[in-house]
Amino acid sequence: MAKIHIARNGKIIGEHDEHAVAALVALRQILPTDHWWKKGMTRWLPIGSTFNPPETRRPKPDNHLRYTCERCGTRFNEPVEQKSGSVLTELFYWICSPIAGGFYTAGRALSAKKHCPNCDSQQLRDEPW
Ligand SMILES: [Zn+2]
């Protein structure tokens, strides 16, 4: 395992496994302005030019709301879902036969429509994150 030597302001401040360096940069234990060297290298190199902290995936700030209503412009994450049919009919089918009930429940889930919580419009723009 190759050890990497880290220097700050001309002084060696530690040595780490090569694969741990990027994580330590992310934790600010090692700074991009520090220098690193390992056996076989002819000179020290700046950390920032070699090791970059692993990028964390998260929604962009302007993109954290998934749905946009095309009618009133409201942005939201949880649309109001409206299913066709009724719970009573669903219950009735389930009592008659679990197979019929299963079909009815599946049909309702498939036909569920997403609505804007503000104006009840179905014209929503769905941005996949
Ligand atoms: Zn709306």
Side-chain angles (χ1 to χ4, degrees), residues 69 72 116 119:
C69 174
C72 69
C116 168
C119 71

Side-chain angles (χ1 to χ4, degrees), residues 90 92-107:
E90 190 171 335
F92 174 75
Y93 275 112
W94 274 103
I95 291 164
C96 292
S97 144
I99 297 166
F103 272 115
Y104 194 78
T105 302

Side-chain angles (χ1 to χ4, degrees), residues 33-83:
T33 48
D34 293 342
H35 285 72
W36 70 278
W37 174 88
K38 72 177 175 184
K39 219 173 167 183
M41 282 170 55
T42 53
R43 64 192 182 90
W44 291 76
L45 289 173
I47 287 284
S49 69
T50 318
F51 297 97
N52 294 305
E55 276 187 41
T56 44
R57 276 185 149 273
R58 61 171 79 112
K60 290 173 201 148
D62 61 330
N63 208 22
H64 66 293
L65 293 170
R66 178 167 180 174
Y67 298 96
T68 308
C69 174
E70 307 235 286
R71 191 156 91 190
C72 69
T74 303
R75 308 199 67 187
F76 51 92
N77 274 327
E78 284 172 28
V80 178
E81 288 210 346
Q82 287 178 6
K83 295 175 177 179

Side-chain angles (χ1 to χ4, degrees), residues 1-13:
M1 186 72 66
K3 286 278 187 189
I4 296 232
H5 299 261
I6 309 294
R8 182 175 301 162
N9 301 323
K11 282 188 184 141
I12 292 171
I13 57 165

